[in-house]
Amino acid sequence: HPSGTDATIGKCARGGGIHTESGTDVTITDSIISDTVVVAAYDASRGGGVFLGSTTTAPSSLTVSGTTISGNSAEGDGPSGALGGGVGTEYCSVVTIDDSVVEDNSVTASAARAFGAGLAINFCDSVTVNRTTVRGNSNYVSAAGVGAYGGGVYLSSVTTTTLTSSTFSDNEVVHAGTLNGNPLCLAA
């Protein structure tokens, strides 16, 4: 139960609660990941609660079941912004989230873009979300001229996406003081 952890790193910050890299298959079951913070000053802040990073040659997989991911934050003050307040992944083979709650997470960026306050999944073969609630997540970018994408979920370069019996509610995107209201962002 990672809770109340601050992972602050001067250059780059990843995974306030759980951080893994290339070729790792991660299973999180019946757990709580809450109130963790990652802050990056010069590079991207990734995965306030969980970050699973991989490469194209060594992809990883993530399975989450019966888990609450709440109150986590990824804060990017540098030129690369922030990704995944609750969960952030890059270059995964499979991401599966079942019977879970992703709520009250945030991504904030002061000088660059921010992606997916609840979930941000990049470059993945398959994403499946079943019987999961994604609610109350906030994406905030204060700089004008840069983007804020996905208050609840941001999916980019995902080959197959399946969302079943899930609820996405009360997620928000605020960009330079304007509510943009895209709770689910799917990018090519």
Side-chain angles (χ1 to χ4, degrees), residues 110-184:
S110 59
R113 301 173 294 177
F115 303 91
L119 306 170
I121 300 170
N122 288 319
F123 309 106
C124 187
D125 293 332
S126 174
V127 174
T128 302
V129 178
N130 296 313
R131 300 170 307 280
T132 292
T133 298
V134 179
R135 70 174 165 236
N137 300 289
S138 299
N139 182 333
Y140 180 76
V141 174
S142 58
V146 296
Y149 307 94
V153 179
Y154 174 78
L155 304 175
S156 177
S157 299
V158 174
T159 305
T160 303
T161 303
T162 305
L163 308 173
T164 306
S165 301
S166 295
T167 302
F168 302 87
S169 65
D170 301 319
N171 300 291
E172 68 178 3
V173 175
V174 178
H175 179 226
T178 303
L179 180 63
N180 288 334
N182 59 345
L184 177 63

Side-chain angles (χ1 to χ4, degrees), residues 25-89:
D25 296 326
V26 176
T27 299
I28 303 168
T29 304
D30 300 329
S31 299
I32 298 171
I33 300 168
S34 65
D35 303 313
T36 62
V37 178
V38 292
V39 179
Y42 301 108
D43 198 352
S45 177
R46 296 179 172 113
V50 177
F51 180 72
L52 183 64
S54 301
T55 64
T56 56
T57 57
S60 300
S61 70
L62 175 64
T63 302
V64 177
S65 178
T67 294
T68 297
I69 300 170
S70 67
N72 303 291
S73 178
E75 301 172 10
D77 293 328
S80 297
L83 178 141
V87 176
T89 70

